[in-house]
Amino acid sequence: MAVQSTGNGSYEPSQVKLPEIKFTKLFINGEFVDSLSGRTFETIDPRTGEAIAKIAEGDKEDVDLAVKAARKAFDHGPWPRFPGSERRRILLKFADLVNENAEELATLDAIDAGKLLHLMRIIDLPLAVDTIRYYAGAADKIHGETLKMSRELQSYTLHEPIGVVGHIIPWNFPSLMFAIKVGPALAAGCTMIVKPAEQTPLSALYYAHLAKLAGIPDGVLNVVPGFGPTAGAAISSHMDINMISFTGSTEIGRRIMQAAATSNLKPVCLELGGKSPLIIFNDADVDKAAEQALQGSFFNKGEICVAGCRVFAQDGIYDQFLLKLKEKAQNWVVGDPLDPNSHHGPQVDKTQYEKVLSHIEQGKKEGATLFYGGKPVDRKGYYIEPTIFIDVKDDMTIAQNEIFGPVMTVFKFKNVEEAIKRANETKYGLAAGIMTNDLNIANTVSRSIRAGAIWINCYFAFDADCPHGGYKMSGFGRDLGMDALKKYLQVKSVTTPIYNSPWL
Amino acid sequence: MAAVCNGKLEDSFMVPEIKFTKLFINGDFVDSVSGETYETIDPRSGEPTARIAEGDKEDVDLAVKAAREAFDNGPWPRFPGAGRRRLMMRFADLIDENVEEIAALEALDAGKLFHWLKAVDIPVVAETLRYYAGAADKIHGETLKMTRELQGYTLREPIGVVGIIIPWNYPSNLLFLKVGPALAAGCTVVIKPAEQTPLTALYFAHLAKKAGIPDGVFNVVPGYGHTAGAAISSHMEIDKVTFTGSTEVGRLVMEAAARSNLKPVSLELGGKNPFIVFDDADVGTAANLVLQGSLFNKGEVCVASSRIFVQEGIYEEFSNQLVEKAKTWIVGDPFDPRSNQGPQVDKKQYDKILSYIEIGKAEGATLLTGGKPCGDRGYYIEPTVFSNVEDDMRIAKEEIFGPVISLMKFKTVEEAIRRANATEYGLAAGILTNDLNIANTVSRSIRAGVIWINCYRAFDIDCPYGGYKMSGFGRDFGMQALDQYLQVKSVVTPLYSSPWL
């Protein structure tokens, strides 16, 4: 194993000045407050396994207070009663403040989630800002319709804000997830409670502070850090929350939907796991394909629901492709996320770290060939080498389960029909990548794969205007695009008889 | 009191032959795998009408297998929209051609009025199919405005195999409300009609085949909720479930969906719908609208107006006129063209309604008229009006689903809005006023999915319909309904040298 590539980054506590952790309390009704129980929990730095800060731990009683504030803000406060342009003005101010503080926010996420600082600066934060600005611009363009009734009736639909929304967001893209959930919900005129993941509460609390500075009225945006079984469960089963938007694991998604059903039958939207295929055809540029595959599996240390971790390479280019993969993997640097030379940082916490390593062992045990990597980096923190398995059978654990780490599985295929069939043989359906310049293959395959996002000759091609979400057990409901607003709106029909209308 | 039970109760009217009593799976009528059957009851007499094959998990598995095959490999989703349109139009024509037989089956099964079914309900069923047939070739995605050199577009694809669980109060209409858009979208369906009312669903299966709808696209599995219904909600190969029924069962459906394969669900549940009558309303018109709103279909309507808020200026006069009109409301055999109201659907509902009437009396509401069963056979109940109903009484809070009206007095607009919204439900609301500003304010302030101003139950196929709060989520009717049966897929490709962005 070429030593130079693995564990080859710099791990020295970097020269980057770590930010002071300014916000560690719950944000309810415009104030930072302790949890009612007085309890706190530690948020861990995955570069070292050590605590960064103590954060107030929200539980059911705190959620109740937050919901009370959000309910009042919705039922009686100015936010839903503002014209769309006023919400726009305030949201744009919010976006500007996020932009002004991007460096500090990026650093917070880097140490909280082990994400690369240099990519946070050029991808995550700018996208979060753009997403808020996108929805700011949508707030005054929410249309219902007048209808074509079959008798003398006038009728129209109103798209009304649904009310108090619960957002439960994951730890892999703390800032981006915050923006894509909160943006449309605020634009629609809703009020909300955000429960950031317990692993990554820091930036959410900072956003709460900026929201207040921007002029978002008290009670409209509340942030309650805490754990899933306590704060998260309290939100899912709250009788006074009108809707839940969740991104996270399939297992938790189930519990949320069940809790919603047993409580007040609130609608839920779930964006869950994936085991997305990347299909590379013979006519693809092998170098580009290898680059795409590497990014698809190792970007953000594989902690991304749309990771293209099942790579199907057509037999004509298979061997060439493997060579290129190895070459590029050797230049993939695992190191401190604050170091601009790193390509990926540590896994977010010990649980994830152990889960990934156990999947790697499982892969070896089941008889797949370990082609590259496969070992943890021998030092403090949760660093794992980029890992590639070949000779993987479709029904192996590593081919079916979502690993959520830097582990790629490579398969060989003969023809289009086989690729489609095998790509679809998963309970998930989040994304898929297709690499080919053949128009007909691109069209056929994009229509045939049962997944919500199809990327042709690109990957992770997210965009504020492009709806994103799952098929099958990857969930339902869409984030991003104008479609995302639907989650936070309800359709009301209003009908009145008319007399002497000159047309129908 | 004799005047209230004033229709003909003998079932001397012609009863149709029951031709279809088996499960309809993959284009064939088959016995249930277990061989079990159950009786469907005539609510005019409480006597059995016919023995119907009883579907259970194994039968649902077979139906889903057929629907899966029809979707994954069959022609239905692969037809152009015009192809589905053509077959759905033919299906609608066959329904029109057989309107009398279908109406008779439904009247017999659910105690619904035959003349109304023949003149309105069943023709609307055909029209619903035609509306969606005409939508099949107009399902659009969008091209997107990407922020960099990428071409992006959305495709709205049929979601796959749809489970449809429907109740017994509008067996035909609610069936096609779901089947229409599901078929237009290119989906295949497995339908479980309510155990009380399987007859028309099976007849429609026969017509579907006759119309040329390919095998496996349209499947009907009659059976019970806790067996066949549960099998559908928790099936790993069903992609979506759409349910209309009680809030209690809606919960079970959503839980089962979550526990199994996380299939999305749409729920249309109960209601405790307010009808707000302002001082400026014409009292006679108001009384008529309220009577119809509350008693139509023997009160077995999820949008039944069951809480009538009457402004104090006209309260006395209104309640007098309402009671007078209620006394002329004819309860009788559903096949008798003079009847306004037939029997409740089954003994369970009948007992439940009568017990609520007792509760109302015990809670101290004033019984103005009705309150008793009619006749000694079948499930007929007098139209019943309570006055001086307090907001916290059970008859004011719980859905009764029968011919029981609760009258409440109010002073101001704000009070009416507050009290109308003080319910966990949010399905429909009626407003009676000619004042533009009151109409606008109140329609915006009531948290319900359908607001009817100076009319009630003004459904229309182009008008989306569904609940707020615990009345459910998802919309039926209108182009909105198609969303339930479609999934959004985004397709993105890099662009080079594009002359615009």
Side-chain angles (χ1 to χ4, degrees):
Chain A
M1 193 114 325
V3 177
Q4 68 165 119
S5 61
T6 58
N8 52 359
S10 150
Y11 298 99
E12 294 318 307
S14 104
Q15 292 87 321
V16 171
K17 182 166 179 290
L18 290 183
E20 179 200 338
I21 312 298
K22 300 177 187 139
F23 308 105
T24 58
K25 300 192 186 199
L26 316 181
F27 185 75
I28 296 179
N29 205 24
E31 310 276 321
F32 281 102
V33 292
D34 288 308
S35 63
L36 282 176
S37 64
R39 282 206 309 277
T40 60
F41 69 100
E42 284 176 344
T43 184
I44 305 294
D45 183 339
R47 303 172 302 154
T48 57
E50 283 153 20
I52 304 172
K54 282 194 175 297
I55 309 293
E57 186 191 326
D59 203 325
K60 184 179 181 312
E61 299 70 31
D62 307 289
V63 168
D64 284 341
L65 285 179
V67 175
K68 200 150 166 254
R71 174 54 61 200
K72 181 147 179 263
F74 184 79
D75 285 354
H76 304 291
W79 190 250
R81 290 157 185 78
F82 280 152
S85 56
E86 184 61 14
R87 286 194 288 282
R88 175 182 69 214
R89 193 184 62 75
I90 295 173
L91 283 174
L92 286 176
K93 181 106 200 286
F94 186 26
D96 286 346
L97 287 169
V98 173
N99 202 31
E100 282 162 38
N101 292 276
E103 183 66 19
E104 190 164 352
L105 286 159
T107 315
L108 285 176
D109 273 356
I111 60 174
D112 217 2
K115 291 168 69 65
L116 300 179
L117 179 59
H118 58 276
L119 289 186
M120 290 287 313
R121 281 183 188 128
I122 60 176
I123 300 178
D124 295 48
L125 263 301
L127 266 180
V129 170
D130 275 348
T131 302
I132 297 170
R133 288 187 177 131
Y134 175 93
Y135 287 109
D140 56 356
K141 301 172 182 67
I142 294 175
H143 297 153
E145 295 182 295
T146 53
L147 305 168
K148 207 88 170 98
M149 304 295 265
S150 58
R151 50 203 194 290
E152 288 199 294
L153 291 167
Q154 163 139 297
S155 192
Y156 55 83
T157 53
L158 294 168
H159 289 201
E160 305 194 324
I162 197 166
V164 176
V165 176
H167 294 297
I168 299 177
I169 56 179
W171 41 259
N172 58 341
F173 284 85
S175 291
L176 211 41
M177 288 292 162
F178 191 94
I180 70 177
K181 302 289 187 181
V182 159
L186 285 177
C190 293
T191 60
M192 57 212 71
I193 291 106
V194 178
K195 189 201 91 58
E198 60 272 23
Q199 295 89 336
T200 53
L202 300 179
S203 52
L205 293 172
Y206 201 112
Y207 287 119
H209 159 75
L210 295 179
K212 178 142 187 167
L213 272 185
I216 292 187
D218 292 350
V220 172
L221 173 60
N222 304 277
V223 182
V224 181
F227 291 85
T230 47
I235 290 173
S236 321
S237 55
H238 208 285
M239 295 302 287
D240 208 14
I241 286 179
N242 299 110
M243 181 276 158
I244 304 264
S245 175
F246 170 78
T247 293
S249 72
T250 297
E251 176 208 326
I252 304 293
R254 275 192 208 292
R255 287 197 227 154
I256 289 181
M257 190 167 165
Q258 279 177 258
T262 19
S263 58
N264 65 343
L265 281 157
K266 55 175 84 53
V268 307
C269 284
L270 306 174
E271 203 260 279
L272 309 174
K275 192 70 180 177
S276 305
L278 172 59
I279 308 176
I280 303 168
F281 288 90
N282 282 339
D283 73 312
D285 176 315
V286 180
D287 193 86
K288 284 206 175 92
E291 186 59 44
Q292 202 84 277
L294 231 71
Q295 288 290 339
S297 287
F298 307 138
F299 177 74
N300 204 49
K301 48 235 172 71
E303 288 170 352
I304 179 165
C305 36
V306 290
C309 48
R310 285 188 300 147
V311 178
F312 291 88
Q314 204 165 16
D315 50 8
I317 49 150
Y318 183 82
D319 294 328
Q320 240 190 311
F321 175 72
L322 285 186
L323 283 177
K324 281 282 177 185
L325 261 189
K326 189 168 231 163
E327 202 181 289
K328 289 180 187 290
Q330 280 162 354
N331 295 320
W332 188 271
V333 175
V334 182
D336 187 300
L338 300 184
D339 179 345
N341 295 316
S342 303
H343 290 124
H344 86 237
Q347 308 308 125
V348 76
D349 66 9
K350 192 164 199 296
T351 308
Q352 286 303 120
Y353 173 78
E354 284 171 356
K355 180 174 161 208
V356 176
L357 291 176
S358 103
H359 272 99
I360 292 173
E361 287 319 300
Q362 190 67 17
K364 291 193 261 181
K365 224 193 297 184
E366 286 181 350
T369 304
L370 181 60
F371 180 71
Y372 191 84
K375 291 196 319 300
V377 175
D378 181 23
R379 57 152 276 119
K380 250 194 333 174
Y382 311 124
Y383 296 88
I384 298 178
E385 300 177 337
T387 300
I388 302 175
F389 279 102
I390 61 174
D391 303 325
V392 183
K393 295 214 169 18
D394 289 8
D395 57 2
M396 285 181 182
T397 309
I398 56 169
Q400 288 290 317
N401 285 14
E402 186 183 36
I403 300 174
F404 227 65
V407 181
M408 186 195 302
T409 47
V410 184
F411 308 83
K412 192 193 292 190
F413 74 94
K414 284 193 169 57
N415 56 46
V416 182
E417 294 71 34
E418 182 194 341
I420 290 168
K421 180 170 162 301
R422 291 167 70 190
N424 279 334
E425 261 157 16
T426 164
K427 62 188 184 192
Y428 293 113
L430 198 47
I434 304 170
M435 299 198 72
T436 181
N437 286 320
D438 184 303
L439 181 67
N440 296 308
I441 289 178
N443 281 337
T444 298
V445 179
S446 59
R447 286 222 168 191
S448 306
I449 300 203
R450 310 274 293 151
I454 309 289
W455 292 313
I456 303 174
N457 296 331
C458 55
Y459 210 78
F460 300 137
F462 290 103
D463 195 283
D465 193 43
C466 188
H468 179 81
Y471 274 39
K472 297 157 61 173
M473 285 177 72
S474 291
F476 45 86
R478 292 294 175 265
D479 285 320
L480 293 177
M482 292 300 275
D483 276 36
L485 290 162
K486 290 195 180 134
K487 306 205 287 290
Y488 309 111
L489 298 163
Q490 282 179 124
V491 174
K492 169 188 274 178
S493 299
V494 183
T495 303
T496 323
I498 42 173
Y499 306 97
N500 304 324
S501 173
W503 59 269
L504 268 192
Chain B
M1 281 297 126
V4 182
C5 287
N6 47 7
K8 239 165 118 163
L9 298 185
E10 307 105 59
D11 50 339
S12 58
F13 298 91
M14 183 215 75
V15 166
E17 182 199 337
I18 315 295
K19 298 178 187 144
F20 306 105
T21 59
K22 297 189 186 199
L23 316 180
F24 185 75
I25 296 178
N26 205 23
D28 287 312
F29 282 102
V30 293
D31 288 309
S32 64
V33 166
S34 64
E36 293 281 334
T37 60
Y38 74 99
E39 283 173 343
T40 182
I41 305 295
D42 182 343
R44 304 172 304 156
S45 61
E47 305 282 334
T49 315
R51 285 208 152 268
I52 309 293
E54 186 190 326
D56 204 324
K57 185 179 181 311
E58 298 70 31
D59 307 287
V60 168
D61 284 342
L62 287 176
V64 173
K65 196 151 168 259
R68 184 90 256 154
E69 175 66 24
F71 183 80
D72 288 350
N73 302 310
W76 189 250
R78 291 160 183 76
F79 280 152
R84 288 193 287 281
R85 176 182 70 210
R86 193 175 61 78
L87 293 177
M88 289 170 70
M89 290 292 190
R90 211 193 285 170
F91 193 3
D93 287 344
L94 286 170
I95 291 173
D96 275 343
E97 281 163 37
N98 292 277
V99 64
E100 195 148 326
E101 189 166 356
I102 296 168
L105 285 173
E106 192 120 305
L108 186 66
D109 223 0
K112 293 166 68 68
L113 300 178
F114 174 73
H115 56 275
W116 193 264
L117 282 163
K118 186 175 164 195
V120 179
D121 289 2
I122 306 302
V124 167
V125 163
E127 282 297 284
T128 303
L129 251 186
R130 289 188 180 110
Y131 175 97
Y132 287 108
D137 55 356
K138 301 174 183 67
I139 293 174
H140 297 154
E142 294 181 296
T143 52
L144 306 168
K145 208 89 171 100
M146 306 293 267
T147 55
R148 51 204 196 288
E149 287 199 293
L150 291 168
Q151 161 139 296
Y153 57 84
T154 52
L155 293 170
R156 291 167 73 206
E157 306 194 323
I159 197 166
V161 176
V162 178
I164 297 180
I165 302 176
I166 48 178
W168 41 259
N169 59 336
Y170 277 87
S172 298
N173 296 78
L174 291 173
L175 175 56
F176 282 92
L177 204 53
K178 318 274 186 181
V179 161
L183 288 184
C187 296
T188 59
V189 305
V190 174
I191 298 158
K192 189 200 93 56
E195 60 272 20
Q196 295 90 336
T197 51
L199 301 181
T200 45
L202 294 172
Y203 195 101
F204 289 126
H206 156 74
L207 293 183
K209 178 133 190 177
K210 218 163 152 204
I213 303 225
D215 292 348
V217 172
F218 186 99
N219 303 279
V220 182
V221 182
Y224 290 87
H226 58 277
T227 47
I232 288 174
S233 316
S234 54
H235 208 285
M236 297 299 287
E237 287 288 314
I238 286 180
D239 299 300
K240 155 94 197 196
V241 169
T242 177
F243 171 82
T244 293
S246 71
T247 298
E248 174 207 329
V249 180
R251 280 191 205 292
L252 297 174
V253 170
M254 189 168 167
E255 274 179 78
R259 252 185 249 120
S260 55
N261 65 344
L262 281 158
K263 55 175 80 56
V265 306
S266 296
L267 304 175
E268 202 262 279
L269 310 174
K272 192 69 183 175
N273 312 292
F275 205 153
I276 309 176
V277 184
F278 287 91
D279 276 346
D280 72 310
D282 174 280
V283 178
T285 308
N288 273 327
L289 274 174
V290 167
L291 208 73
Q292 286 288 340
S294 309
L295 300 183
F296 188 78
N297 201 47
K298 47 230 174 74
E300 289 169 356
V301 190
C302 33
V303 294
S305 52
S306 44
R307 291 183 295 149
I308 319 302
F309 291 93
V310 186
Q311 204 163 22
E312 54 184 3
I314 52 161
Y315 188 89
E316 272 311 304
E317 211 204 319
F318 175 84
S319 51
N320 291 338
Q321 288 215 32
L322 186 69
V323 169
E324 218 176 279
K325 289 177 194 291
K327 292 195 159 107
T328 66
W329 186 259
I330 300 177
V331 179
D333 188 300
F335 285 91
D336 182 343
R338 291 160 304 164
S339 299
N340 296 126
Q341 177 184 319
Q344 309 307 131
V345 76
D346 64 10
K347 186 164 202 307
K348 184 158 164 242
Q349 288 302 119
Y350 172 81
D351 287 341
K352 180 176 160 202
I353 296 160
L354 289 175
S355 98
Y356 270 109
I357 292 172
E358 289 318 301
I359 288 169
K361 291 194 260 182
E363 287 181 310
T366 307
L367 182 63
L368 291 184
T369 183
K372 292 200 314 303
C374 278
D376 47 16
R377 259 205 342 153
Y379 312 126
Y380 297 87
I381 298 180
E382 298 176 337
T384 301
V385 182
F386 280 105
S387 180
N388 302 320
V389 177
E390 313 267 314
D391 290 8
D392 58 1
M393 288 181 182
R394 285 184 62 190
I395 57 169
K397 296 204 328 218
E398 295 167 32
E399 189 182 36
I400 298 175
F401 227 65
V404 180
I405 306 175
S406 291
L407 296 183
M408 293 124 111
K409 194 189 295 186
F410 76 93
K411 282 191 169 59
T412 66
V413 182
E414 295 74 29
E415 180 196 340
I417 290 169
R418 187 179 48 79
R419 291 168 68 191
N421 278 335
T423 165
E424 63 194 17
Y425 292 113
L427 195 49
I431 304 170
L432 273 172
T433 181
N434 284 322
D435 184 303
L436 181 67
N437 296 308
I438 290 178
N440 281 337
T441 299
V442 179
S443 59
R444 285 221 169 194
S445 306
I446 300 204
R447 309 275 295 151
V450 189
I451 311 289
W452 290 308
I453 303 174
N454 298 332
C455 56
Y456 205 78
R457 240 185 32 257
F459 286 108
D460 195 284
I461 303 171
D462 194 44
C463 187
Y465 163 70
Y468 274 32
K469 297 157 63 174
M470 285 177 72
S471 291
F473 46 84
R475 291 293 175 267
D476 287 319
F477 276 137
M479 292 299 274
Q480 210 87 34
L482 290 161
D483 285 350
Q484 284 195 45
Y485 310 103
L486 297 164
Q487 284 178 122
V488 172
K489 168 188 275 179
S490 299
V491 183
V492 181
T493 323
L495 286 174
Y496 304 97
S497 309
S498 173
W500 59 270
L501 268 193

